[in-house]
């Protein structure tokens, strides 16, 4: 079998940040790297799950809602993937992500989609942890730019 693109990136060189993982036709996949790979500290299940609910809800209700394809966690638990249509510029996607992190970091209330009829693991949530993840990642993104979206060589 062919080696997939995400396994071809040297994970020893990836830092926290936002990278263009791949472009397939009109879909751009962003690597939202929130933890250092293989560093022993990973996203925990409950806050990751809440973060996912809030991120997906925010981006799918944004002014770019028709351009959002998918937002979800990486299996390695070092971050998320965000897939968008190429009608969104990289700068627009970065701005939306910053807005999303501020939204999650400041969120209070009932977690969207966190009830038994709406979620397959509805008891596994941690809002305080999700807010911490968002605040930490927002600090990373504040210094980020489109020019930094290429994986390190």
């Amino acid at each position: 079998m062919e080696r997939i693109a995400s396994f071809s990136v040297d994970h020893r060189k990836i830092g926290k940040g936002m990278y263009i993982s791949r472009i397939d036709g009109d879909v751009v996949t962003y690597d939202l790297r929130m933890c250092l790979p293989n560093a022993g500290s990973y996203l925990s299940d409950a806050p990751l799950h809440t973060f996912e609910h809030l991120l997906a809800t925010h981006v799918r209700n944004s002014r770019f809602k028709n351009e959002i394809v998918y937002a979800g966690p990486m299996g390695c638990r070092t971050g998320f993937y965000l897939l968008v249509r190429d009608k969104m510029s990289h700068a627009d996607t970065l701005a939306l992500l910053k807005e999303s992190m501020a939204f999650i970091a400041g969120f209070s209330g009932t977690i969207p989609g966190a009830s038994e009829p709406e979620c397959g693991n509805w008891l596994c949530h941690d809002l305080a942890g999700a807010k911490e993840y968002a605040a930490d990642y927002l600090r990373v993104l504040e210094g980020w730019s489109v020019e930094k979206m290429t994986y390190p060589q």
Side-chain angles (χ1 to χ4, degrees):
M1 289 192 276
E2 289 183 34
R3 189 172 184 205
I4 64 172
S6 62
F7 296 157
S8 299
V9 176
D10 189 341
H11 284 69
R12 297 169 296 184
K13 296 179 180 178
I14 300 173
K16 290 182 178 183
M18 178 183 179
Y19 304 96
I20 300 165
S21 177
R22 55 186 297 140
I23 299 174
D24 299 291
D26 71 334
V27 176
V28 180
T29 300
Y30 292 95
D31 172 333
L32 314 180
R33 198 59 64 148
M34 299 168 65
C35 299
L36 296 176
N38 302 308
S41 179
Y42 307 99
L43 301 173
S44 297
D45 290 342
L48 171 148
H49 189 200
T50 303
F51 185 97
E52 175 197 12
H53 278 235
L54 293 169
L55 176 62
T57 297
H58 188 264
V59 297
R60 290 183 176 135
N61 281 279
S62 73
R63 65 193 177 282
F64 297 109
K65 65 184 177 183
N66 294 326
E67 310 312 320
I68 304 301
V69 176
Y70 173 77
M74 297 175 177
C76 62
R77 298 188 348 242
T78 60
F80 279 71
Y81 287 114
L82 177 64
L83 282 70
V84 304
R85 301 266 176 227
D86 66 359
K87 293 177 186 173
M88 283 182 70
S89 70
H90 300 314
D92 284 340
T93 307
L94 176 58
L96 175 61
L97 200 54
K98 288 178 183 178
E99 292 166 16
S100 296
M101 293 309 104
F103 168 78
I104 296 168
F107 185 83
S108 62
T110 303
I111 300 163
S115 69
E116 189 173 11
E118 299 170 303
C119 180
N121 195 4
W122 72 285
L123 294 175
C124 181
H125 282 282
D126 176 358
L127 179 57
K131 291 170 73 158
E132 287 178 25
Y133 288 164
D136 179 65
Y137 195 51
L138 181 58
R139 285 188 289 276
V140 172
L141 294 178
E142 288 301 332
W144 214 254
S145 66
V146 172
E147 293 73 31
K148 292 182 177 182
M149 289 186 186
T150 304
Y151 284 122
Q153 298 298 316

